[in-house]
Amino acid sequence: MKINNTTYILYCLLFVLASCIEDDTDYPIINGEFLSFSVEGQTKPAVIDLETRTVTVEVEDEVELSSVKILEYSITEDASIQPEMVEIDDFSEAKNYVISTYQDYDWTIEVRYGKAFVTAIEIENQVGEPLIDNHAQNITLFVEEGSSDLEDIRLTTFEVSEGATASPNPMELTNFSEPVEITIVSAYGEESVWHIEVKYEPVLKSFTIENALNDSIYVSHNIIEVTMPVGTDLSKLTVSDFELQEGATASPDLGTISDLSTPQTVKITSAQGNTQDWIIRAQEARQVEFSMFDDWFSTDVKNLFGNVKGQYYLPGNDESSVWGSGDIGAAMNTVAANTISALEDNGTTYAHLESKSVLGVLAAGSLFTGTMEADGLIPKTNFGMPFTERPLSFELDYRAEMLEKDGYQDGYDIYILLQVREGEGDNEKRYRLGTAWYRSTESVDDWTHLKIPVEYGELISDFPKYMEPNPDNEFSPEEGYWDDPTAVPTHAIVVFSSSYDGDNMNGVVGSSLEINNVTLEYK
């Protein structure tokens, strides 16, 4: 959900327009959409992208794409579809459909085989297990130093999914002094590019700080990241244990390191005389302020004559809070939208977000980290807050009531985006580093715990397109992905919305999302 500042212009101009325009005709806007789609042999839920109007389904290798059996589908209520769906259909190529309500909506369904994977790999003088990252399509192998020449070494095992092929043939390669790129083609022509990197076994095997919550070792990047409780003085830490490769030495001595308020570089020399630079860095298990929703403040909404018309509410103690909402923009235009409120349940306070009609315009209940500033008639939204930690997951308790009207099924958004930003003002560029996003149209009656893993680096094709960075996004543009997935972020954007397509004024009045106990997990 992106906050649509155009909504706030309408708040100001509706009265003027109403006095100038007469139009008694009701033109309903009902989007024609696929709500569900499944076929026989499907390997995971279909990806239905409402923005690109595409349905993507992956199936088992045994399925004949020329005769796919459709098990179930649903579209917007009272809509029609052309061509008509048949039980057995040919999806050898992507197929186009038109769903018609009061308007026509073009959709594309693609049924495809999943990409092939590396199922087994070994190399001469291998140490430990291979690191196979199916998400990033990277493989890292470690070999004994002293008994291996990376310019003259061979794989002893290489296996891929049944029927798949790899080019060049990895079993014929002998030089792994640099990462090697191979293309794997599944039995049915699905291509994927993989990288194989061979490295000498890490000279730093473990590193532990007293009272640490967690430590992550990024062996492919020679980085150790230690997570400490909030409030820890990162300049006064105590190393409790570490392990080097036999015969290796470190400078400075690892046992003497105490100040990790800034990352420290350690040179480690193996017994054979080769040197590796390792970065050791520490972070606090920082949370988003007021994310437990126990503390709230209110601000008066006044009309042009200074009279109080109502209030808006936000988590925090005052207007310095990291939280913002569309209600602030509405208040700048003298409207008390009240899409965000604090409610109680058994003595616990939580956030209630509700989509409402404000002066005839849909206003989604949206709560986000960021600020809104007056900028003439158009309030300016600044999404995000400074944030330099790397959580592993985004968790919360929630419940939702998603309504349907005139064939349109509403849905909600819950997500956090971690960014690296460079430059300032008009020269600022934003890059995506981490993504944890959950979107659903399902109502949830009882409080339910949700855990969303943070995906660092580029999202693979399995993720819906709406999750990808978009440089053309008017309100929160991103140039693309940051090139180092192990980097430290500079900012975080947290968003909750009771109508995920509220930026296009699509939603159903009365849909609600309730959230509580929002936490970032580091272990």
Side-chain angles (χ1 to χ4, degrees):
M1 164 70 190
K2 306 178 292 293
I3 308 303
N4 189 349
N5 292 334
T6 307
T7 302
Y8 306 125
I9 303 175
L10 292 175
Y11 290 157
C12 298
L13 300 182
L14 269 173
F15 295 114
V16 177
L17 294 175
S19 65
C20 300
I21 300 174
E22 285 189 14
D23 189 350
D24 296 329
T25 305
D26 184 17
Y27 296 101
I29 298 177
I30 301 176
N31 291 334
E33 299 175 341
F34 273 99
L35 304 179
S36 63
F37 187 81
S38 63
V39 301
E40 193 170 69
Q42 192 169 321
T43 58
K44 59 184 178 181
V47 176
I48 300 177
D49 193 319
L50 300 179
E51 292 187 7
T52 61
R53 295 180 187 147
T54 57
V55 179
T56 306
V57 186
E58 290 190 1
V59 295
E60 299 170 345
D61 292 349
E62 292 78 12
V63 175
E64 291 289 342
L65 295 186
S66 60
S67 56
V68 176
K69 183 176 181 179
I70 299 175
L71 299 178
E72 181 272 340
Y73 78 94
S74 60
I75 61 175
T76 302
E77 186 177 1
D78 295 330
S80 61
I81 186 169
Q82 290 292 332
E84 293 184 0
M85 287 283 185
V86 295
E87 184 179 4
I88 306 293
D89 210 341
D90 183 358
F91 285 94
S92 303
E93 297 181 354
K95 193 161 185 175
N96 297 322
Y97 293 87
V98 177
I99 298 178
S100 300
T101 55
Y102 292 90
Q103 299 84 24
D104 291 338
Y105 297 87
D106 295 325
W107 280 79
T108 301
I109 297 179
E110 181 183 11
V111 180
R112 66 188 187 192
Y113 299 109
K115 64 185 180 184
F117 292 97
V118 176
T119 57
I121 186 170
E122 290 184 3
I123 198 167
E124 295 172 342
N125 302 319
Q126 182 172 314
V127 176
E129 295 297 319
L131 300 179
I132 302 178
D133 187 339
N134 289 321
H135 172 75
Q137 297 171 184
N138 291 329
I139 299 173
T140 304
L141 299 165
F142 298 99
V143 296
E144 295 178 1
E145 188 174 0
S147 59
S148 304
D149 181 355
L150 299 188
E151 294 184 356
D152 185 19
I153 191 169
R154 292 177 178 273
L155 295 179
T156 57
T157 301
F158 185 80
E159 298 176 5
V160 293
S161 302
E162 184 176 356
T165 60
S167 178
N169 184 351
M171 296 296 290
E172 297 178 356
L173 300 176
T174 60
N175 189 344
F176 288 91
S177 58
E178 298 289 340
V180 173
E181 180 177 290
I182 62 171
T183 299
I184 299 178
V185 183
S186 72
Y188 298 94
E190 184 80 10
E191 291 190 4
S192 55
V193 177
W194 287 70
H195 294 88
I196 302 174
E197 184 176 16
V198 180
K199 304 179 69 174
Y200 292 122
E201 61 178 314
V203 288
L204 178 56
K205 296 186 175 183
S206 67
F207 183 82
T208 305
I209 295 288
E210 192 174 282
N211 299 321
L213 299 176
N214 187 38
D215 60 71
S216 299
I217 302 179
Y218 303 104
V219 292
S220 296
H221 294 78
N222 290 358
I223 293 174
I224 287 187
E225 183 173 75
V226 179
T227 302
M228 305 300 298
V230 173
T232 300
D233 185 346
L234 299 184
S235 68
K236 298 179 180 179
L237 302 178
T238 301
V239 177
S240 58
D241 190 27
F242 66 88
E243 181 182 1
L244 294 175
Q245 185 187 103
E246 185 177 354
T249 58
S251 178
D253 187 328
L254 292 175
T256 65
I257 292 176
S258 62
D259 186 356
L260 290 179
S261 56
T262 58
Q264 299 295 313
T265 299
V266 178
K267 289 187 177 295
I268 304 179
T269 304
S270 69
Q272 288 73 30
N274 294 315
T275 298
Q276 295 179 1
D277 284 343
W278 279 75
I279 302 295
I280 302 177
R281 66 192 187 200
Q283 65 177 356
E284 295 181 61
R286 183 183 168 198
Q287 301 296 322
V288 180
E289 291 182 341
F290 305 110
S291 61
M292 304 304 284
F293 302 118
D294 294 325
D295 300 303
W296 292 74
F297 72 96
S298 64
T299 298
D300 289 340
V301 177
K302 298 181 180 180
N303 62 18
L304 296 176
F305 303 101
N307 299 320
V308 176
K309 297 183 62 178
Q311 290 82 31
Y312 67 80
Y313 302 87
L314 284 174
N317 295 325
D318 52 41
E319 293 183 7
S320 67
S321 171
V322 299
W323 293 100
S325 79
D327 288 354
I328 300 176
M332 291 177 182
N333 290 307
T334 74
V335 177
N338 296 129
T339 65
I340 309 294
S341 58
L343 300 182
E344 287 192 7
D345 184 6
N346 294 324
T348 299
T349 306
Y350 59 91
H352 175 87
L353 290 63
E354 183 173 342
S355 298
K356 295 187 176 183
S357 177
V358 180
L359 298 179
V361 176
L362 179 85
S366 59
L367 184 63
F368 57 88
T369 54
T371 60
M372 298 195 78
E373 302 171 359
D375 187 13
L377 289 176
I378 308 174
K380 181 181 179 182
T381 306
N382 300 311
F383 285 102
M385 64 177 188
F387 191 82
T388 57
E389 275 65 51
R390 290 173 53 90
L392 301 178
S393 64
F394 179 47
E395 303 188 23
L396 67 149
D397 298 321
Y398 81 104
R399 58 188 180 187
E401 182 180 12
M402 291 293 107
L403 304 181
E404 185 243 357
K405 183 179 181 182
D406 296 330
Y408 179 83
Q409 176 60 58
D410 211 351
Y412 54 90
D413 257 346
I414 297 171
Y415 63 83
I416 181 172
L417 307 179
L418 299 176
Q419 296 179 329
V420 176
R421 299 185 184 182
E422 291 185 325
E424 297 180 355
D426 294 338
N427 296 320
E428 182 184 69
K429 294 185 181 297
R430 304 179 178 189
Y431 299 88
R432 180 78 63 80
L433 177 64
T435 308
W437 198 316
Y438 184 75
R439 174 178 290 183
S440 177
T441 59
E442 299 294 325
S443 293
V444 179
D445 295 332
D446 298 322
W447 284 107
T448 301
H449 188 72
L450 177 66
K451 178 178 181 178
I452 318 171
V454 178
E455 300 287 344
Y456 285 95
E458 184 173 353
L459 297 174
I460 59 177
S461 59
D462 293 346
F463 289 84
K465 190 172 181 62
Y466 64 78
M467 294 186 184
E468 296 179 357
N470 180 4
D472 298 322
N473 185 312
E474 181 180 357
F475 307 106
S476 187
E478 293 175 301
E479 302 297 319
Y481 293 101
W482 189 251
D483 57 5
D484 179 7
T486 67
V488 175
T490 63
H491 289 76
I493 298 175
V494 180
V495 173
F496 305 99
S497 176
S498 58
S499 293
Y500 69 80
D501 201 25
D503 58 326
N504 293 317
M505 299 183 195
N506 290 324
V508 179
V509 173
S511 288
S512 64
L513 172 65
E514 295 177 334
I515 52 178
N516 201 7
N517 303 322
V518 176
T519 59
L520 300 174
E521 292 297 326
Y522 294 83
K523 60 179 179 178

